[in-house]
Amino acid sequence: MASYKDLGFVNTKEMFKKAVTGKYAVGAYNFNNMEQLQAIIVACVETQSPVILQVSKGARSYANQTLLQYLGQGAVEMMKELAKEKGLKEIPISLHLDHGDTFELCKSCVDSGFSSVMIDGSHHSYEDNITLTKKVVEYAHPFDVTVEGELGVLAGIEEHVVAEKSTYTKPEEVIDFVQRTGVDSLAISIGTSHGANKFKPQQCAKNADGVYIPPELRFDILAEIEKQIPGFPIVLHGSSSVPVEAVKLINSNGGTLSDTVGIPEEQIRKATQSAVCKVNIDSDGRLWMTAAIRKHFADKPADFDPRQYLGPARQALIAMYKHKNEHVLGAAGKV
Ligand code: G3H
Ligand code: 13P
Ligand code: ZN
């Protein structure tokens, strides 16, 4: 049993309170390996942004759950050293389970030092979602671990569960869900989706510069939800913008990604002006990392030391996380 407080993490309570009032969102960035984690820490310290380190069930089994716990702990120590070295403030870091699908998984994360967990019961019936979410809350809260629940279904791949179509969150259900479960934050479905294939060009309009613009997020539903639970922390999953430059770089260096359009960053920026205080981004990091590695091998096909290609990939990620904190989420300088 490890307490997150001893490892140097914080839960999301204070982070979210400040973000809702300050009209910005905290970046929730997924990691599976050392380079991704280093990039997140460097970018967030240098931009002085609070951060949520996100671990999925898949990441836990890929990286080994024990090693992950120590990687997380190491990230806190690295953050402290970096802040001191640069004469900057230490930043709050939360270690969060992304898309927990069972009580047992959430319990295991609480027991191994996570400061926050998501129980995603969105694929169950409404009543079963409430029962499962409440059970996780009852276990986590005595340890001061915060819990995120989800209402509504996002299209795309969520932990091996593939939803073809999204089901928007029903605003009339949110008060009941929040009250009966006791969750600390709520993930909602208003048109974002998981993965790199969010919209096909055919589903989009084109602006004067020839840029594809997908259908707008359902800000009307978000507003209705906010009316029901004013100031309650809202989470947006599936918020990658799928940058054209990254997709082009991948495809011009041997990749075969199909044309795809993500959530425009301006729409995410707009959402952060509401009670949306946590924004999940994973796919954009995957794309930039792949782009940097493909470019490296195209330029230097004889290289074979992982540091030669993972180093530039890490640099590309640092630039991306800084950009998100500074220009999309408004989280820079909020420590
Ligand atoms: O929403 C899911 C995250 O992008 C994590 O993906 O389950 O492939 O680690 P993963
Ligand atoms: P993206 O696939 O849009 O990056 O979303 C990630 C996410 O929601 C993780 O929970
Ligand atoms: Zn998600």
Side-chain angles (χ1 to χ4, degrees):
M1 184 86 195
S3 162
Y4 72 83
K5 291 176 187 171
D6 297 334
L7 306 184
F9 296 114
V10 296
N11 69 20
T12 55
K13 222 168 232 157
E14 201 53 34
M15 268 185 191
F16 288 170
K17 208 162 127 195
K18 285 171 78 177
V20 172
T21 334
K23 295 194 183 307
Y24 62 92
V26 179
Y29 303 132
N30 293 68
F31 76 98
N32 299 268
N33 65 28
M34 184 186 77
E35 282 77 9
Q36 290 171 314
L37 184 57
Q38 289 171 318
I40 297 168
I41 297 298
V42 170
C44 293
V45 169
E46 290 185 358
T47 59
Q48 293 282 271
S49 313
V51 69
I52 297 169
L53 298 175
Q54 234 167 214
V55 172
S56 68
K57 180 179 167 182
R60 231 173 155 233
S61 56
Y62 173 81
N64 179 285
Q65 63 190 64
T66 309
L67 182 58
L68 260 183
Q69 182 186 323
Y70 286 99
L71 270 178
Q73 201 173 342
V76 174
E77 297 310 314
M78 177 189 165
M79 173 278 288
K80 288 181 183 167
E81 279 170 21
L82 204 60
K84 195 168 173 195
E85 196 184 295
K86 294 184 177 283
L88 294 167
K89 287 190 212 159
E90 293 186 2
I91 62 167
I93 303 179
S94 173
L95 183 64
H96 175 80
L97 168 68
D98 190 27
H99 293 286
D101 57 350
T102 60
F103 169 79
E104 290 70 27
L105 174 59
C106 293
K107 178 181 181 301
S108 163
C109 288
V110 172
D111 294 349
S112 64
F114 281 60
S115 59
S116 179
V117 293
M118 175 191 195
I119 175 68
D120 180 357
S122 63
H123 297 278
H124 296 294
S125 71
Y126 180 68
E127 284 302 323
D128 288 353
N129 188 357
I130 288 186
T131 307
L132 177 61
T133 306
K134 187 167 183 273
K135 190 173 171 189
V136 171
V137 169
E138 281 169 355
Y139 184 77
H141 277 182
F143 298 101
D144 223 4
V145 169
T146 38
V147 179
E148 175 185 327
E150 179 166 330
L151 258 186
V153 179
L154 268 71
I157 301 169
E158 281 185 271
E159 276 298 351
H160 317 298
V161 179
V162 183
E164 286 286 323
K165 282 204 163 130
S166 65
T167 312
Y168 298 129
T169 306
K170 296 188 180 98
E172 63 275 19
E173 288 181 346
V174 298
I175 294 185
D176 183 60
F177 186 84
V178 163
Q179 285 180 348
R180 284 172 63 196
T181 57
V183 281
D184 302 280
S185 59
L186 183 68
I188 60 165
S189 171
I190 55 164
T192 60
S193 55
H194 285 106
N197 296 300
K198 299 190 193 299
F199 298 99
K200 294 188 176 75
Q202 309 86 277
Q203 295 172 287
C204 303
K206 236 184 195 180
N207 73 9
D209 304 319
V211 177
Y212 288 112
I213 310 292
E216 222 195 26
L217 296 179
R218 294 292 302 269
F219 287 103
D220 55 326
I221 298 178
L222 175 59
E224 274 308 308
I225 292 171
E226 280 207 85
K227 251 189 228 161
Q228 300 296 321
I229 43 173
F232 190 81
I234 303 290
V235 178
L236 272 196
H237 282 246
S239 299
S240 280
S241 68
V242 190
V244 221
E245 313 83 57
V247 175
K248 273 192 185 149
L249 201 56
I250 291 174
N251 287 345
S252 59
N253 289 293
T256 56
L257 295 185
S258 47
D259 276 345
T260 162
V261 182
I263 312 294
E265 290 185 332
E266 309 75 61
Q267 292 192 32
I268 299 296
R269 188 77 191 102
K270 182 174 166 186
T272 66
Q273 303 306 297
S274 68
V276 169
C277 59
K278 171 175 181 269
V279 167
N280 287 15
I281 295 172
D282 187 3
S283 298
D284 282 357
R286 295 177 178 190
L287 290 167
W288 278 119
M289 193 163 196
T290 304
I293 292 171
R294 280 197 176 276
K295 166 110 181 55
H296 184 87
F297 280 126
D299 294 346
K300 298 182 176 170
D303 277 358
F304 64 95
D305 178 341
R307 291 171 296 188
Q308 291 167 319
Y309 51 91
L310 292 178
R314 185 172 59 194
Q315 282 310 120
L317 285 179
I318 293 174
M320 185 205 82
Y321 293 125
K322 282 187 170 180
H323 167 76
K324 296 288 182 189
N325 290 338
E326 284 168 344
H327 304 293
V328 184
L329 308 181
K334 307 291 188 189
V335 294

